[in-house]
Amino acid sequence: MTGRFALMIDPVAVEEQRSDYADTFTQVDAAAPALSVGELSTQRGDGVFESIGVVDGHAQEVVPHLERLAHSARLCDLPAPNLDQWHQAIRAAAVQLGSGESVIKLILSRGVEHGPAPTAWVTAAPAADFAAVRERGVRVVTLDRGYDLGAAERAPWLLLGAKTLSYAVNMAALREARRRGADDAIFLSSDRFVLEAPTASLILRFGDRFVTPAPNGGILHGTTQLSVYEHLAAQGFETAYDRIPATDLPRADAAWLVSSVRLAAAITAIDGTSLPVDTALTAALNRYLLSPR
């Protein structure tokens, strides 16, 4: 691939049962103007998105990503995405990507204010080089997310379980982590339970048991975490979802942040306290995550 590009998708659901949706999206120059100044995704972050890792032209975990896109759209009262259209657009983007690692982003916004339909587009670009991070790991700090585990159920309008374009808080958390001398952060609920990282899921190891925070309380169900769990279960390990008190973090035998593009990064320290690192397992996880899924 020579550079970034984008596909603008017709968001109106196609009624005919056809397999070819190529006429419902148009490739555009990602560096050229494409959105109206009235686009609500830029004005208010009023939309949802997904980031799909691509390895040697193969888009990873497409079905889980599209299922989560549809889930986020429902939470935000956006029209249900036509999954056939998105599948076709992802395939069209992936075939133009060369060898190596890339990222495809799916974006669905409410469109222009008072407009007739939402705006939908796909972008593709080379991924950042995370080889060193996968090898050396990351230091994290814990940050208060500002709500308790019951907030998502009590106040659904907070959209805590949706992957929305409103990422200012997540980016602010990463900046705060760096101010504290760390690479990343882990959010805690106000009642001191472990949530997730700003752009990743958390997996902890206690002996031969692996645990991740249960996908409630506004936690996104991570697509990469699901893949890691499938792999670990196939190796005979026990995997579980649970409420994890913050006091359990320094007790872990190992821990990872996992995400679609960075993949598995071992956590080397939490709030300045060193954590054991399973170098061999981390390398094995990343080999698996780089294989076609």
Side-chain angles (χ1 to χ4, degrees):
M1 186 184 71
T2 57
R4 298 172 181 268
F5 66 92
L7 301 174
M8 301 299 295
I9 302 175
D10 177 359
V12 180
V14 177
E15 296 296 332
E16 298 88 350
Q17 296 299 313
R18 299 186 283 122
S19 61
D20 183 8
Y21 288 90
D23 60 342
T24 66
F25 55 81
T26 304
Q27 183 166 333
V28 298
D29 181 356
L35 297 176
S36 164
V37 293
E39 170 64 42
L40 293 179
S41 66
T42 55
Q43 288 190 353
R44 301 176 185 170
D46 193 3
V48 298
F49 80 102
E50 287 289 325
S51 296
I52 299 178
V54 183
V55 180
D56 295 333
H58 180 272
Q60 307 277 55
E61 302 159 338
V62 172
V63 171
H65 278 291
L66 287 177
E67 289 175 346
R68 195 167 64 180
L69 183 76
H71 174 70
S72 295
R74 284 194 300 273
L75 292 179
C76 294
D77 294 321
L78 286 164
N82 185 311
L83 298 187
D84 285 334
Q85 286 178 304
W86 289 91
H87 270 288
Q88 185 76 7
I90 292 166
R91 285 193 292 268
V95 298
Q96 298 187 58
L97 297 168
S99 60
E101 296 181 50
S102 307
V103 57
I104 290 175
K105 290 192 176 182
L106 318 178
I107 303 166
L108 175 64
S109 93
R110 207 167 302 278
V112 177
E113 190 166 15
H114 309 304
T119 303
W121 69 100
V122 169
T123 66
D129 184 358
F130 289 111
V133 175
R134 294 168 191 162
E135 184 174 346
R136 72 168 184 266
V138 291
R139 300 160 297 165
V140 304
V141 293
T142 55
L143 298 177
D144 188 345
R145 190 64 174 88
Y147 54 75
D148 60 56
L149 279 187
E153 182 177 357
R154 190 173 63 249
W157 51 87
L158 294 178
L159 304 177
L160 298 178
K163 193 173 179 70
T164 73
L165 294 170
S166 302
Y167 247 47
V169 170
N170 303 64
M171 297 300 99
L174 290 176
R175 292 193 297 273
E176 178 62 22
R178 290 167 189 141
R179 279 192 286 268
R180 299 186 187 195
D183 306 297
D184 213 318
I186 295 173
F187 285 130
L188 304 179
S189 65
S190 58
D191 44 356
R192 304 293 293 173
F193 286 96
V194 178
L195 298 174
E196 58 192 346
T199 63
S201 301
L202 171 69
I203 297 176
L204 303 172
R205 180 176 185 172
F206 298 94
D208 286 339
R209 182 175 187 265
F210 293 80
V211 62
T212 193
N216 53 32
I219 297 173
L220 287 172
H221 209 160
T223 57
T224 308
Q225 173 263 311
L226 287 168
S227 281
V228 169
Y229 264 27
E230 290 176 4
H231 176 67
L232 291 172
Q235 306 304 308
F237 293 108
E238 179 186 356
T239 59
Y241 297 87
D242 206 350
R243 288 191 175 190
I244 304 172
T247 51
D248 279 0
L249 287 173
R251 296 178 42 246
D253 294 314
W256 297 265
L257 296 183
V258 298
S259 55
S260 297
V261 182
R262 185 171 59 183
L263 304 184
I267 297 175
T268 62
I270 300 177
D271 292 330
T273 299
S274 295
L275 208 64
V277 174
D278 191 330
T279 303
L281 181 54
T282 301
L285 290 177
N286 280 315
R287 283 194 299 271
Y288 167 70
L289 292 172
L290 285 167
S291 66
R293 289 172 284 116

